[in-house]
Amino acid sequence: MPIDPATWSELFAAVYEVNAASSHSDFAGAVVSGMSRLISAEVSIYQLLDRTSGHFMTRIAPFDPYSPEEVEYFTRHSEENPLVAYYQRTGDLQARRLSDVIDVNVWMESTYYQTCVKRLDLRHCLALPVVVNESIVASFSFGRRGNDFSLHECELLDAFGPHFRQAWFRHENPWRDQKSEEMSVRSRFTQLGINTRESEVLYWMTEGKLNREIAVILGIRLGTVQDHVANILLKLEQENRHAATVFALKLLQSK
């Protein structure tokens, strides 16, 4: 079914975002940013799997809301996810809504929902698998609390898939995971005597983010960020956030 020309701008914005990754290294970041432009959702997830090597990558936007316990259950029981089971059973390669394969009320009563999803109340889901080549498979999924996803959003996601595949082949290193590199930087900041959450806040300070932006990125309250900044200044014995940022960047440059 052709996409309504009036809504092509949504698709173009997402495709541009992914292809703009040719000018920088964070392809995964560009993909999840493009997904967010394409479809409005509380959570957008991009996953990449090399079935030959077992190499696996996950990126979540706007931040990772899942607890370690939820992630562990999903890892061990992914086949209980109705959409995962549907795609494995049928081999379908079209975008599907959760409501296309299971009654939402049945879904909300399932052990999987109660264990992995209930806390976030993401009762609606939309997903699309994309076969990149004989070994590599990508998947895009979206979680939403309010209204279910529309058929129009299914069409947009289907149209996005081939553009993603083309961009993946054009990119120099689509496997590079800047998020993991960020985690490496944050772990180095803990050498300064600050805790893990404070190191995350300090990392985003060095990236030039304001407190309100850090609050959105980390999914915490603005007041909590302000408390972390105050603790960072105290522990690093710095007078202000600019001095603390310069101090942290010097640490990175010295290693």
Side-chain angles (χ1 to χ4, degrees):
M1 182 182 298
I3 299 175
D4 182 351
T7 62
W8 282 355
S9 60
E10 299 165 316
L11 177 61
F12 289 160
V15 171
Y16 174 81
E17 190 80 21
V18 174
N19 281 280
S22 61
S23 63
H24 59 79
S25 57
D26 189 16
F27 182 75
V31 171
V32 293
S33 179
M35 290 169 63
S36 299
R37 287 177 177 269
L38 187 70
I39 294 173
S40 175
E42 273 71 36
V43 177
S44 302
I45 304 175
Y46 163 57
Q47 294 180 309
L48 195 62
L49 171 65
D50 186 329
R51 292 177 290 194
T52 300
S53 68
H55 192 183
F56 184 73
M57 175 195 295
T58 299
R59 289 292 292 270
I60 303 177
F63 58 91
D64 188 346
Y66 297 100
S67 70
E69 295 76 17
E70 290 164 345
V71 172
E72 181 180 6
Y73 188 91
F74 169 77
T75 302
R76 293 178 178 273
H77 304 275
S78 61
E79 72 284 350
E80 294 180 16
N81 182 310
L83 278 171
V84 172
Y86 168 79
Y87 284 120
Q88 290 179 341
R89 182 178 71 254
T90 66
D92 189 5
L93 293 176
Q94 298 295 306
R96 300 296 178 192
R97 301 169 296 183
L98 187 69
S99 58
D100 293 329
V101 302
I102 190 174
D103 181 270
V104 174
N105 291 324
V106 175
W107 157 242
M108 293 175 64
E109 293 174 359
S110 68
T111 302
Y112 186 96
Y113 179 89
Q114 294 292 322
T115 305
C116 290
V117 188
K118 182 178 180 180
R119 182 179 62 84
L120 301 173
D121 194 28
L122 300 174
R123 59 188 65 190
H124 302 295
C125 184
L126 170 65
L128 172 72
V130 175
V131 177
V132 178
N133 58 29
E134 63 276 5
S135 297
I136 298 172
V137 178
S139 69
F140 309 98
S141 60
F142 304 82
R144 183 182 284 172
R145 297 189 183 97
N147 296 328
D148 196 0
F149 295 92
S150 66
L151 290 175
H152 164 69
E153 288 169 318
C154 293
E155 294 165 6
L156 279 175
L157 190 54
D158 278 329
F160 177 70
H163 291 284
F164 159 80
R165 187 174 182 274
Q166 292 175 3
W168 195 93
F169 281 116
R170 283 197 296 266
H171 201 272
E172 181 179 353
N173 183 13
W175 278 103
R176 184 189 172 203
D177 189 359
Q178 184 173 327
K179 203 74 171 180
S180 296
E181 295 174 13
E182 292 170 6
M183 293 300 295
S184 176
V185 171
R186 296 175 202 178
S187 67
R188 292 174 64 183
F189 284 159
T190 60
Q191 301 172 20
L192 297 171
I194 60 178
N195 63 38
T196 301
R197 180 60 94 180
E198 289 164 352
S199 71
E200 292 178 337
V201 172
L202 181 56
Y203 169 80
W204 289 112
M205 288 168 57
T206 64
E207 289 291 301
K209 301 299 183 183
L210 302 175
N211 285 356
R212 64 176 180 272
E213 296 174 311
I214 296 173
V216 173
I217 292 169
L218 298 181
I220 58 180
R221 296 162 67 176
L222 175 59
T224 303
V225 175
Q226 293 169 335
D227 290 341
H228 286 316
V229 172
N231 289 335
I232 290 168
L233 299 184
L234 180 63
K235 293 179 179 180
L236 300 187
E237 300 180 347
Q238 302 297 314
E239 295 182 357
N240 53 54
R241 60 181 292 139
H242 174 71
T245 299
V246 172
F247 184 84
L249 289 173
K250 285 183 177 178
L251 169 69
L252 296 180
Q253 294 169 358
S254 66
K255 300 295 183 178

